[in-house]
């Protein structure tokens, strides 16, 4: 076994039945390995299809083996093709035995970016049925002693912090120089404002600032470090640890270093380069840029779209172009900071309502419409309601059907931020609108980002052609901001087309290197009739060739269903273990409440130092209220059912140590073994 394999910080446990897999020892490795990731994925897909057909639809329950430190695996470049036995035959660069392999054999290949799972029972469709009532989310309160100990802990930290500051300012004045006037200069930092960062956040900095490297897939590589001065600075240890990644927004697993999308990006770099100006036209725009905007509009079911190179700037620069003085913005109290920043820049009046409370929203609408503008009581020029499809800190979903009913009754404009819901919710991945089965025409403005489900960067605004034309001229991100680079645009096109599927007309090969004509001459109504449908031929570059499983949309649908299963399984499993969780069961964001600040560091360390290391994200004030600190699990389609089992077992043990199980009475809880064995019952309660 190679030394790199023996020293790898992460390993895969392979059962004895899988010992037939081994690396090929041919004379020429280049002649036996796939030419690229696309051919590899195509071969795997075809071989698995044959094995499924031969087994009459009976699927193996085997998926990517659970992570462990007890055995060996190849190092960070472990996406190697594993071959079976001595009797090998080459099929599109992938060697298989003479007889077709079973799904169990195909999906035992080592893959740290995206785990394989062939069991169709580990799938779920993220969709709300119109005949069913909307599931009410009840936030459970912890026992009073938990809240009391949390307040006392913060009180002790604050008192000790002030004592240390009082002594330090007199004995180590140089260390506080930036907080005090000196040499005629004003202090650079406010003493009061920086107290939390200096005396509370710094004590638990390891929970927030963990350096990583590589692709944020099913696993990720952690850069090991230590601190010798109480987190004021860090010293790298020169080692790395591969950990199970349950903390990234890579919802559909498209943030991969290998695969059809990665191959498309490489081809795009060869054609356009990496700089923004590499694909510019005389008009100042980009052919890739225009194509991506047309595809985004088709994806969300709107007439037109505009994209920006930064997700935060999409809200903060375009909201001021939508409203101004004399307008009213009604905002959910838990809306993202980018929305709040854009609202402040706009100069419009703003009113907030209790999070996701439709009764409070209707009462506010009645008040503001009847009273009109302050002092003059004139009617508002415009009323814009801004909500999020999926709230990143709470995991809650907007009650869109009720919002639409209020919109029809009170005639306001609706803006939905789908940064976390687009690509992650709905049977077609079209976000919260798709999840509830609502026609996109009922929403005036759809905003989203490419940084989560699409594995890219930037954001978009979609709406009517008149609205988007106005934003191109008036928003700051249009005329002033830098455009997206070609690699990012190609990643958006490839990943979005993989979710949608590509119409057969666009799959024909072509030797041209230019893009297909963007559907500027086609009527918007024609593009809308097939929503949600496949990507039209006019919106995909001629040179972009996706593997069959991606181009026909089957892989995209499979990822959506895997993500939905993982999200519901983890959420329901944590509830049955007795934890207090927030959010909608279909949300890929699963917050688990920790409350006490001391438990934040301990939870992070105990998860990271397990036999199978798990990296988690801990969230605290000011992102959340002071006493509701939490760990925020972010599941992905790249995770397997066994990965979620590992997380549940870890939480079960750590939760007992840290006294975190206050959600349901002990008599109603399930054991972790019962949860893992009855996962289907948890995810499909009606089955």
């Amino acid at each position: 076994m190679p030394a790199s394999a023996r020293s790898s910080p992460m390993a895969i446990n392979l059962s004895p039945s899988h010992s037939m897999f081994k690396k090929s020892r041919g004379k020429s490795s280049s002649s036996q390995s796939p030419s690229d990731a696309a051919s590899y994925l195509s071969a795997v897909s075809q071989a698995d299809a044959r094995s499924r057909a031969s087994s009459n639809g009976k699927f193996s329950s085997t998926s990517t083996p659970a992570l462990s430190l007890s055995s060996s695996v190849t190092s960070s470049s472990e996406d190697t093709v594993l071959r079976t036995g001595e009797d090998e035959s080459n099929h599109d660069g992938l060697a298989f035995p003479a007889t077709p392999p079973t799904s169990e054999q195909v999906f035992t290949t080592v893959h740290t970016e995206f785990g394989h799972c062939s069991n169709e029972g580990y799938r779920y469709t993220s969709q709300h049925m119109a005949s069913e009532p909307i599931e009410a989310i009840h936030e459970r309160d912890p026992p009073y002693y938990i809240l009391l100990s949390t307040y006392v802990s913060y009180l002790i930290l604050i008192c000790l912090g002030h004592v240390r500051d009082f002594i330090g300012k007199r004995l180590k004045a140089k260390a506080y120089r930036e907080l005090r006037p000196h040499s005629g200069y004003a202090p650079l930092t406010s003493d009061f404002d920086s107290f939390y960062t200096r005396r509370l956040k710094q004590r638990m900095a390891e929970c927030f600032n963990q350096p990583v490297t590589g692709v944020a897939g099913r696993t990720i590589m952690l850069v090991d470090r230590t601190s010798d001065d109480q987190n004021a600075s860090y010293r790298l240890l020169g080692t790395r640890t591969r950990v199970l990644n349950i903390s990234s927004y890579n919802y559909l697993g498209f943030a991969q270093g290998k695969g059809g999308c990665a191959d498309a990006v490489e081809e795009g770099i060869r054609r356009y380069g990496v700089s923004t100006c590499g694909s510019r036209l005389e008009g100042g725009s980009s052919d890739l840029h225009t194509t991506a905007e047309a595809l985004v509009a088709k994806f969300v079911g709107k007439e037109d779209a505009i994209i920006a190179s930064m997700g935060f700037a999409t809200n903060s620069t375009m909201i001021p172009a939508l409203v101004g003085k004399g307008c009213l913005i009604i905002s959910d109290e838990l809306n993202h900071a980018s929305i709040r920043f854009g609202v402040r820049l706009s100069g419009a009046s703003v009113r907030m309502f209790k999070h996701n409370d439709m009764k409070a929203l209707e009462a506010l609408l009645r008040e503001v419409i009847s009273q009109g503008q302050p002092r003059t009581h004139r009617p508002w020029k415009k009323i814009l309601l801004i909500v999020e499809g999926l709230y990143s800190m709470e995991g809650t979903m907007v009650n869109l059907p009720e919002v639409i009913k209020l919109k029809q009754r009170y005639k306001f404009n609706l803006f939905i931020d789908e940064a976390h819901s687009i690509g992650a919710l709905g049977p077609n991945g079209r976000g919260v609108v798709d999840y509830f089965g609502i026609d996109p025409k009922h929403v005036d403005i759809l905003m989203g980002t490419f940084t989560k489900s699409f594995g890219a960067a930037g954001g978009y605004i979609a709406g009517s052609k008149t609205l988007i034309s106005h934003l191109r001229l008036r928003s700051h991100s249009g005329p002033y901001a830098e455009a997206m680079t070609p690699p990012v645009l190609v990643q958006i096109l490839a990943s979005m087309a993989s979710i949608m599927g590509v119409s057969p007309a666009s799959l024909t090969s072509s030797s041209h290197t230019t893009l297909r004509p963007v559907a500027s001459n086609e009527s918007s109504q024609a593009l809308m009739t097939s929503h949600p449908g496949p990507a039209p031929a006019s919106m995909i570059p001629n040179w972009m060739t996706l593997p069959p499983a991606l181009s026909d949309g089957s892989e995209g649908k499979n990822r959506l269903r895997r993500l939905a299963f993982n999200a519901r399984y983890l959420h329901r499993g944590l509830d049955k273990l007795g934890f207090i969780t927030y959010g909608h069961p279909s949300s890929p964001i699963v917050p688990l409440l920790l409350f006490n600040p001391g438990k934040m560091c301990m939870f992070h360390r105990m998860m990271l130092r397990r036999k199978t290391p798990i990296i988690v994200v801990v969230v605290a004030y000011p992102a959340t209220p002071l006493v509701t600190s939490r760990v925020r699990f972010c599941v992905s389609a790249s995770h397997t059912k066994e990965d979620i089992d590992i997380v549940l077992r870890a939480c079960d043990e750590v939760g007992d140590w840290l006294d975190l199980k206050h959600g349901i009475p002990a008599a109603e809880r399930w054991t972790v073994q019962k949860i893992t064995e009855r996962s289907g019952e948890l995810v499909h309660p009606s089955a």
Side-chain angles (χ1 to χ4, degrees):
M1 182 179 297
S4 59
R6 292 192 299 268
S7 61
S8 174
M10 184 218 66
I12 303 291
N13 273 334
L14 295 179
S15 62
S17 61
H18 300 149
S19 60
M20 64 179 71
F21 288 87
K22 60 181 180 181
K23 292 184 182 177
S24 175
R25 290 189 173 90
K27 295 181 179 179
S28 174
S29 59
S30 61
S31 64
Q32 296 180 353
S33 60
S35 57
D36 55 19
S39 62
Y40 167 70
L41 292 175
S42 176
V44 169
S45 177
Q46 294 175 18
D48 185 58
R50 292 195 302 272
S51 65
R52 291 174 187 231
S54 63
S55 60
N56 297 323
K58 294 180 180 180
F59 300 100
S60 167
S61 62
T62 300
S63 60
T64 301
L67 300 173
S68 174
L69 292 180
S70 60
S71 61
S72 60
V73 74
T74 52
S75 58
S76 58
S77 60
E78 56 210 63
D79 295 328
T80 54
V81 178
L82 301 182
R83 307 179 185 277
T84 62
E86 297 298 333
D87 181 16
E88 298 178 349
S89 60
N90 192 284
H91 178 77
D92 291 340
L94 185 64
F96 287 123
T99 58
T102 64
S103 292
E104 181 181 56
Q105 291 172 331
V106 171
F107 290 112
T108 312
T109 53
V110 179
H111 203 195
T112 59
E113 292 184 359
F114 195 93
H116 298 307
C117 180
S118 62
N119 192 332
E120 289 295 320
Y122 301 151
R123 307 288 190 272
Y124 185 80
T125 300
S126 172
Q127 184 177 15
H128 173 76
M129 307 306 295
S131 59
E132 299 177 358
I134 296 178
E135 191 170 355
I137 306 300
H138 301 289
E139 295 183 357
R140 303 185 185 95
D141 294 323
Y144 284 114
Y145 80 89
I146 294 293
L147 292 176
L148 180 61
S149 64
T150 300
Y151 281 113
V152 171
S153 298
Y154 277 111
L155 180 62
I156 293 174
L157 286 173
I158 292 172
C159 292
L160 290 177
H162 281 297
V163 170
R164 292 185 63 185
D165 281 352
F166 179 83
I167 298 174
K169 288 176 182 178
R170 286 154 179 79
L171 301 182
K172 297 181 179 180
K174 187 176 293 186
Y176 292 84
R177 186 179 181 184
E178 74 279 2
L179 302 177
R180 312 177 74 175
H182 65 90
S183 304
Y185 291 95
L188 291 175
T189 307
S190 169
D191 190 353
F192 179 81
D193 293 341
S194 64
F195 178 82
Y196 174 81
T197 303
R198 190 171 65 253
R199 291 305 178 198
L200 278 76
K201 183 175 181 293
Q202 184 174 319
R203 299 174 68 96
M204 56 186 77
E206 62 184 276
C207 300
F208 311 112
N209 306 321
Q210 195 73 54
V212 296
T213 182
V215 176
R218 174 180 174 243
T219 67
I220 196 170
M221 195 70 76
L222 208 64
V223 179
D224 300 326
R225 65 177 185 176
T226 187
S227 177
D228 302 321
D229 50 10
Q230 298 179 346
N231 297 336
S233 63
Y234 293 92
R235 173 171 52 85
L236 296 179
L237 300 178
T239 58
R240 299 179 181 182
T241 303
R242 184 168 290 280
V243 296
L244 179 62
N245 179 24
I246 195 75
S247 59
S248 297
Y249 291 147
N250 183 25
Y251 295 139
L252 292 183
F254 280 117
Q256 294 179 229
K258 295 183 180 180
C261 293
D263 292 340
V265 172
E266 290 181 9
E267 179 63 23
I269 292 175
R270 282 192 288 268
R271 292 172 180 269
Y272 292 90
V274 296
S275 63
T276 304
C277 59
S279 58
R280 287 215 175 250
L281 301 177
E282 291 184 2
S285 185
S286 160
D287 49 359
L288 281 175
H289 193 101
T290 308
T291 303
E293 289 182 335
L295 187 61
V296 168
K298 168 63 180 174
F299 184 77
V300 300
K302 304 299 286 185
E303 291 182 357
D304 201 359
I306 180 174
I307 60 179
S309 57
M310 181 181 177
F312 190 98
T314 306
N315 277 331
S316 60
T317 63
M318 293 193 184
I319 290 177
L322 295 171
V323 291
K325 188 176 181 180
C327 299
L328 173 67
I329 294 177
I330 300 178
S331 177
D332 190 289
E333 65 178 353
L334 296 184
N335 276 344
H336 191 262
S338 61
I339 296 176
R340 295 167 177 259
F341 190 70
V343 168
R344 287 197 294 267
L345 290 178
S346 70
S349 301
V350 58
R351 295 291 298 273
M352 298 175 66
F353 66 96
K354 187 177 180 181
H355 174 58
N356 230 5
D357 190 330
M358 295 299 104
K359 292 183 178 179
L361 173 59
E362 183 171 15
L364 179 59
L365 284 168
R366 288 175 178 271
E367 177 190 345
V368 297
I369 292 175
S370 62
Q371 295 298 319
Q373 298 184 41
R375 294 190 297 275
T376 64
H377 299 289
R378 293 178 179 175
W380 297 100
K381 295 180 181 178
K382 189 185 303 180
I383 298 178
L384 180 65
L385 172 65
I386 303 181
V387 294
E388 293 188 41
L390 186 65
Y391 292 83
S392 60
M393 293 299 167
E394 309 296 317
T396 51
M397 196 184 305
V398 64
N399 190 344
L400 189 57
E402 290 300 319
V403 172
I404 296 298
K405 290 179 182 178
L406 292 176
K407 181 179 185 297
Q408 295 171 347
R409 186 180 306 166
Y410 294 100
K411 310 302 180 185
F412 54 81
N413 296 301
L414 178 58
F415 181 113
I416 300 182
D417 180 338
E418 292 212 84
H420 289 268
S421 56
I422 192 67
L425 294 177
N428 304 287
R430 264 61 164 195
V432 69
V433 177
D434 186 30
Y435 178 85
F436 287 108
I438 293 175
D439 195 324
K441 70 179 182 181
H442 294 306
V443 180
D444 301 287
I445 305 166
L446 286 170
M447 177 270 175
T449 63
F450 307 114
T451 55
K452 281 81 177 178
S453 297
F454 305 100
Y460 67 86
I461 294 283
S464 65
K465 282 187 174 295
T466 302
L467 172 70
I468 300 304
S469 298
H470 171 79
L471 290 177
R472 294 188 197 281
L473 296 175
R474 302 299 297 271
S475 68
H476 294 162
S477 61
Y480 298 117
E482 188 71 21
M484 278 188 183
T485 60
V488 176
L489 290 169
V490 175
Q491 172 68 19
I492 294 170
L493 288 169
S495 58
M496 192 170 288
S498 300
I499 300 173
M500 302 173 69
V502 184
S503 59
S506 62
L507 299 179
T508 57
S509 60
S510 174
S511 59
H512 298 291
T513 59
T514 57
L515 294 176
R516 300 180 188 273
V518 179
S520 56
N521 297 327
E522 302 178 22
S523 67
S524 301
Q525 189 64 29
L527 293 176
M528 301 273 291
T529 53
S530 61
H531 178 80
S538 58
M539 297 182 180
I540 302 298
N542 276 336
W543 49 264
M544 183 181 292
T545 304
L546 296 175
L550 293 179
S551 60
D552 64 12
S554 59
E555 175 68 17
K557 290 288 193 300
N558 185 48
R559 294 188 183 215
L560 286 168
R561 298 183 67 220
R562 284 185 58 173
L563 172 63
F565 175 88
N566 291 340
R568 289 184 70 88
Y569 178 38
L570 179 59
H571 196 284
R572 300 288 192 188
L574 291 174
D575 284 345
K576 286 296 185 181
L577 286 175
F579 293 99
I580 297 179
T581 61
Y582 283 175
H584 194 280
S586 294
S587 167
I589 302 169
V590 186
L592 186 154
L593 275 293
L594 302 178
F595 300 104
N596 196 294
K599 295 179 181 180
M600 296 165 60
C601 291
M602 289 303 300
F603 191 95
H604 179 272
R605 293 171 185 170
M606 294 178 74
M607 295 290 279
L608 192 58
R609 294 177 183 176
R610 293 181 60 82
K611 183 178 181 180
T612 301
I614 303 173
I615 187 68
V616 299
V617 168
V618 175
V619 186
Y621 179 86
T624 66
L626 189 66
V627 297
T628 58
S629 302
R630 65 200 67 175
V631 56
R632 189 177 55 171
F633 296 115
C634 299
V635 298
S636 169
S638 63
H639 293 128
T640 65
K641 191 261 185 185
E642 286 73 15
D643 294 335
I644 307 301
D645 290 344
I646 291 175
V647 175
L648 289 173
R649 289 191 179 97
C651 290
D652 182 49
E653 296 177 12
V654 175
D656 288 335
W657 277 96
L658 299 182
D659 189 24
L660 298 176
K661 298 180 179 180
H662 306 290
I664 58 177
E668 301 177 15
R669 299 174 191 170
W670 288 14
T671 64
V672 69
Q673 185 66 25
K674 182 178 179 181
I675 290 173
T676 57
E677 292 176 353
R678 301 172 64 176
S679 59
E681 180 180 338
L682 289 176
V683 177
H684 306 273
S686 60

